[in-house]
Structure formats: structure tokens, C-alpha cells
Amino acid sequence: MNEIKFVDTTLRDGQASLWAENMRTGMMLLVAERLDNAGFEAIEVMASSHLKKCVRELREDPFERIRLLARKIKKTTLRGLGSARISAFELTPDSIIELWYERMLAAGIRQLRVIDPANDSANWSKSVARARRVGLGTVVNLTYSVSPKHTDAYYGRKAAEAAALEPELLCLKDPGGLLTPDRTAGLMRAIQQHANGIPLQLHVHCTTGLGPLCALEAIKTGVETVDTALPPLANAASNPSVFNVARNARALGYSSSIDEESLLPAARDLNFIAKREGFPIGVPVEYDYNQYVHQVPGGMISNLRHQLNNLGMLHRLDEVLEEAVRVRADLGYPIMVTPFSQFVGSQAAINVIRGERYAQVTDQVIQYALGHWGKEAAGEVDPNIKDRFLDLPRAKEFAGWHPPQPSLEEIRARLGGPGVNDDELLMRYVVGKDDVEAMRAAAGPKEYISARKPLLTLLQDLTRRTGCRQIYIQKDGLSVTLEKRAGPGV
């Protein structure tokens, strides 16, 4: 009987998909030990997007978050995401990426899932080499998409390129939830034939409602590890529920490495937090074929709707989505993940608004065609469209341009001098000095009370109220009185 292993994504992709990365450090710490004791192969906890989200919006230190989690999660490997960029929409100097990897390791990350939005093996190779240089283990992502280009032969070739880098695992990642059970079975067999014996992992989303079924098909074809999340941060746009996949795997005759019983209190705590904070609770969704047509992520559609509404053109959203299909084909079918989905969506919106295709072209699309976002991707742009882009005056400005590669010393001098430590330097690079100082001035991570302590939670909520001076609670022989009193001299 084969044992299926699980990677937990609750604290990373689960909360990114459903809570827009609004999960605070205290919420993570509340469930950390239970996740650690449940038997996961790894727990994903960090991505570069956390730098901006934590510092600018949550006013929390992302590196301190990992250090605090590492003190509670002592048995299970902490995993982060690694790529050639620290900012989704800007090219990043190598010196900053090297430091980013070093600081993840120093905080407690032990393994990286290496990603590249174009499945460019040159970028994989740089990231894997960099990770090994600093002492991090690696998992290489093969990102799934649907197009005439993304065939079994394509993924077999990419699997061979990834396997040549000798990572610990190869992971088929389906960020858009586009896999079907039949496609999963066929694709996994094609990848296995070229994986050179490296174990396979599946990371699938439930956007079209098929994620749990795809996970089971992957297991039946020999995939050993599946990424799952803990409810209420499973399902919907997130990953499948660990409870669902583990239960169904056992029904198929497989054993599971997970102690599901120990995870139930953590799920209750997260559900309690979701209701209290007004966060979404993930539920299974109905099948949605439209996702396969335009493949524009839900967050991008929301942004397009907002922008068009501001221009009084919301009625043209369907035109923009149809144009996105054409723009994607012109660009050689880039995978619709960040940042390429934004490149495609923004250019499609401009084409519709201007009333003429490519009358105005974004800098990012010009850079894409010139190869700054990957030589392989640039080589697949429609030649006629590419010639049109490269004839633009702006393209001629970029023609001799190369992304700057300042040294760490030069960047540090620009951002505050030798007194700025490495963690601070990375945060200043991403969000600027003012936001980092505002984060430092804020209180430390808030402590969250377990759902099993309702009285403490009630008291915590009541003390926040400003409209009363005295609170009195009585229940089953217990009475508590809280009174606000003026300070000395008032």
C-alpha cells in the first residue's frame, strides 16, 4: 500500500487565494504547532509578495514572522517560493535575489519551490543554483496552462529540463485550476517518462471545481505528494482540502501520512477567525467552463472591472476578455499567471479602449517581446506582431537597454548606508523607508485566542468598545466586572 504525502499550503497559498494575504502572524502562530504535529512533508509559509503585504498593509515584519513560526514548527520543513524576481512587475537585480534567498534561510526556510512564469529552464537553473549556494533545498515547478503550445510533448520536454537540475521534487502547478481529471492522468504519465525517477508533486487549485478529482487522478498515476490546505482556507480559488483528499485516497487503497484528527482543532480555530474577521470561508464551487476560454485570473478580472467602471466602460468588459484571448495568442500563449496575465489583460484593455489594436503598447509588453522577461518566451511572439512592437519608438529606446545590476553595496548606500541590516534593506527595496519605519512603530504581532476560549475572546472584543465605562458578565456562578477609570490628574 503506497503512502501519500501532503504539503500544507494554508499559511501561504490558502490565505493568498481566499484572504488576499490578510492572515496575520498571530493567526498563523495559533495553529502552527498543530500543523507541525500533523505529519506534513512540508509547510509553505513565504512568498516575495509577503514583503509588501506584511510591511505596507499589515504593519508586520515578514522575517520575524518566519522566525516566530520556526520556533513552533520544529519537525516539519518550512518552504518558501523562489524565482528570479522579488517584485512581480519589475525586473530585480541578482544581488537582491541572492540576499532574499539568504535571508529566507536565516529566518528558518529550508526549501524553495522554484517558479518561473514561462517555465524557462534558464531561469530555473539560476534559481536552483542560487538556492543551493545558500543552502536551500529545491522543488522545481512546471506551471500548467491550456493552449496549442502546452501539449504533452511540451511538458515532457520541460520535465526533462527540470530533472536535469536534480531537484528534490518536480511539482506540476495548476494556478488557474484548469486541469481536468483526464488531462491530469495523461499529463502526469508524460512527465513521469521524462522525470528521471525524481518524485512528483501536484499543486492544483479548485477554481473550476475539479481540483480534488485531479488530485485523486494524480495519486492513481503515481504522484507521491499533494499540496492541500486546511478548511476554511481550502476549496474555492484555493487548494483542495487535506481532509477530502486524505479520505478519498484511503478509499482508493492508499495510506496517508496525515493525522487528520489532530488538525480538527486548528480548522475550528481558523473558522472562528474567519467569522470573527469577516474573511471568506472556502467552499466547493460549481464547474465553470468560462475559465478555460480567457484564463484571466479572478483578481485580474476584478481590477479590469474597477478600471472600466471608472471610465464609464464597464459594459465593455466582455470585449476586453475576448481581446485578451487574441493578445495572448499574439504573444505566443504566455501562461496566465503573474506577471504575464497582467501584461495580457492590460494590453487587451488598452486595445479596446483605444479602438485600435496596439495603437499603444505597454512597456512591459515591449520588454517581453525583446526578451527581458525570458528569451524563450520572446521567441514565441507572433513574428508580424513582434515586428510591429519593435518598430515603435519606445522599443528602440529599450533595444540597447539591459536591466541594471547594481551591487549590494551600491543598493545599501542608496537606501540608507551601512547601518541598514539585510532584512531592513530588502524591505526598503520593496516598499521604501517610510513604510518600514511605520511598520517598526506599530505594535508587535497581535495574539489570537483559540476558539476553545470563548470567554477570553468575548472580553477581548468588549474591551475594544468605546461607548461604555463598565462591563459586567455573569454565567454559571462566574461573574466578571471590568471598569474603565480615569488616569491620575484627569
Side-chain angles (χ1 to χ4, degrees):
M1 182 182 293
N2 295 330
E3 182 181 71
I4 305 303
K5 303 168 187 174
F6 292 86
V7 171
D8 179 73
T9 63
T10 308
L11 308 185
R12 212 281 305 165
D13 210 353
Q15 63 119 349
S17 299
L18 294 177
W19 290 1
E21 295 188 338
N22 281 308
M23 191 181 212
R24 293 186 170 274
T25 300
M27 299 174 185
M28 298 180 180
L29 295 174
L30 180 62
V31 299
E33 290 183 13
R34 291 194 178 274
L35 293 176
D36 188 31
N37 292 325
F40 287 107
E41 185 78 358
I43 299 173
E44 279 196 5
V45 294
M46 195 170 206
S48 60
S49 58
H50 291 185
L51 292 178
K52 181 180 288 187
K53 184 72 180 189
C54 283
V55 176
R56 180 167 290 170
E57 296 185 32
L58 302 181
R59 300 301 192 205
E60 293 185 346
D61 185 331
F63 296 103
E64 181 64 12
R65 166 183 288 183
I66 302 305
R67 286 189 285 270
L68 291 171
L69 284 171
R71 291 172 196 165
K72 288 182 173 288
I73 300 175
K74 300 176 181 178
K75 304 174 185 175
T76 314
T77 299
L78 291 181
R79 181 187 289 180
L81 299 191
S83 72
R85 286 173 291 279
I86 201 169
S87 174
F89 308 110
E90 296 177 5
L91 299 165
T92 308
D94 289 344
S95 57
I96 286 290
I97 296 300
E98 190 93 18
L99 182 62
W100 165 235
Y101 282 27
E102 289 174 2
R103 297 317 298 164
M104 280 197 283
L105 178 73
I109 300 297
R110 293 294 175 262
Q111 186 183 62
L112 288 190
R113 185 151 58 86
V114 171
I115 58 177
D116 182 78
N119 289 330
D120 190 317
S121 58
N123 289 336
W124 284 341
S125 180
K126 285 178 66 175
S127 294
V128 168
R130 183 175 284 130
R132 286 189 178 137
R133 197 157 52 243
V134 304
L136 290 162
T138 56
V139 178
V140 173
N141 247 12
L142 284 75
T143 306
Y144 178 69
S145 190
V146 175
S147 81
K149 176 178 104 174
H150 295 97
T151 62
D152 282 1
Y154 168 89
Y155 281 103
R157 174 168 59 88
K158 288 297 171 183
E161 293 171 0
L165 302 175
E166 299 183 347
E168 294 160 48
L169 290 162
L170 295 183
C171 177
L172 178 63
K173 175 182 170 68
D174 176 23
L178 300 172
L179 279 170
T180 64
D182 286 348
R183 185 77 181 105
T184 301
L187 188 57
M188 281 302 184
R189 293 188 187 100
I191 291 173
Q192 281 173 326
Q193 291 172 8
H194 296 85
N196 198 28
I198 295 174
L200 302 184
Q201 175 180 338
L202 177 70
H203 181 104
V204 63
H205 284 251
C206 303
T207 319
T208 59
L210 299 178
L213 294 174
C214 294
L216 294 182
E217 284 301 321
I219 288 169
K220 288 192 282 186
T221 60
V223 169
E224 298 179 15
T225 307
V226 179
D227 287 7
T228 57
L230 192 62
L233 288 164
N235 295 309
S238 181
N239 310 119
S241 163
V242 62
F243 298 129
N244 176 274
V245 178
R247 182 176 65 250
N248 285 318
R250 283 197 304 274
L252 291 173
Y254 298 88
S255 63
S256 165
S257 64
I258 293 297
D259 178 4
E260 295 149 75
E261 194 69 27
S262 71
L263 287 172
L264 291 174
R268 285 195 293 268
D269 284 341
L270 291 175
N271 199 60
F272 180 75
I273 287 172
K275 291 178 178 178
R276 184 181 175 194
E277 302 290 330
F279 291 163
I281 291 175
V283 295
V285 298
E286 295 181 344
Y287 179 74
D288 180 9
Y289 182 74
N290 279 329
Q291 190 66 24
Y292 296 89
V293 178
H294 54 73
Q295 298 184 43
V296 178
M300 184 68 188
I301 293 175
S302 297
N303 289 335
L304 288 171
R305 182 179 287 113
H306 176 72
Q307 293 164 9
L308 291 172
N309 186 56
N310 288 343
L311 296 170
M313 301 177 71
L314 184 58
H315 60 286
R316 305 193 70 179
L317 177 61
D318 287 344
E319 289 179 66
V320 172
L321 294 177
E322 291 169 5
E323 176 62 9
V325 176
R326 292 188 285 270
V327 170
R328 185 180 181 231
D330 291 343
L331 296 182
Y333 296 101
I335 298 172
M336 294 295 277
V337 294
T338 300
F340 297 159
S341 56
Q342 284 80 0
F343 294 0
V344 170
S346 297
Q347 188 61 57
I350 291 170
N351 290 355
V352 169
I353 292 167
R354 291 292 298 269
E356 179 185 349
R357 302 192 77 223
Y358 305 118
Q360 176 184 341
V361 182
T362 67
D363 283 355
Q364 288 81 5
V365 168
I366 293 171
Q367 291 173 352
Y368 184 92
L370 285 167
H372 292 309
W373 292 86
K375 298 296 183 185
E376 184 176 324
E380 293 165 342
V381 178
D382 180 284
N384 294 324
I385 297 294
K386 187 172 185 177
D387 288 343
R388 185 172 176 181
F389 291 165
L390 301 188
D391 281 340
L392 295 170
R394 185 64 169 157
K396 291 178 171 54
E397 294 178 30
F398 278 123
W401 177 81
H402 296 282
Q405 291 291 349
S407 69
L408 209 55
E409 290 72 22
E410 291 171 322
I411 296 171
R412 198 185 305 272
R414 176 165 55 87
L415 296 179
V420 178
N421 67 39
D422 289 343
D423 288 356
E424 180 105 359
L425 180 65
L426 285 169
M427 291 186 281
R428 287 191 183 191
Y429 180 85
V430 173
V431 300
K433 179 181 177 181
D434 290 347
D435 277 316
V436 176
E437 289 182 345
M439 181 270 293
R440 296 288 187 213
K446 173 186 171 184
E447 182 179 357
Y448 282 80
I449 304 299
S450 168
R452 297 176 299 281
K453 299 177 181 177
L455 179 58
L456 286 178
T457 303
L458 175 62
L459 290 172
Q460 195 176 63
D461 287 342
L462 290 174
T463 54
R464 294 197 189 101
R465 298 190 179 184
T466 58
C468 59
R469 295 183 60 85
Q470 188 179 72
I471 299 168
Y472 180 74
I473 301 172
Q474 182 174 9
K475 184 180 187 297
D476 297 335
L478 171 69
S479 64
V480 178
T481 302
L482 299 177
E483 184 175 354
K484 291 183 179 179
R485 295 179 180 178
V490 178

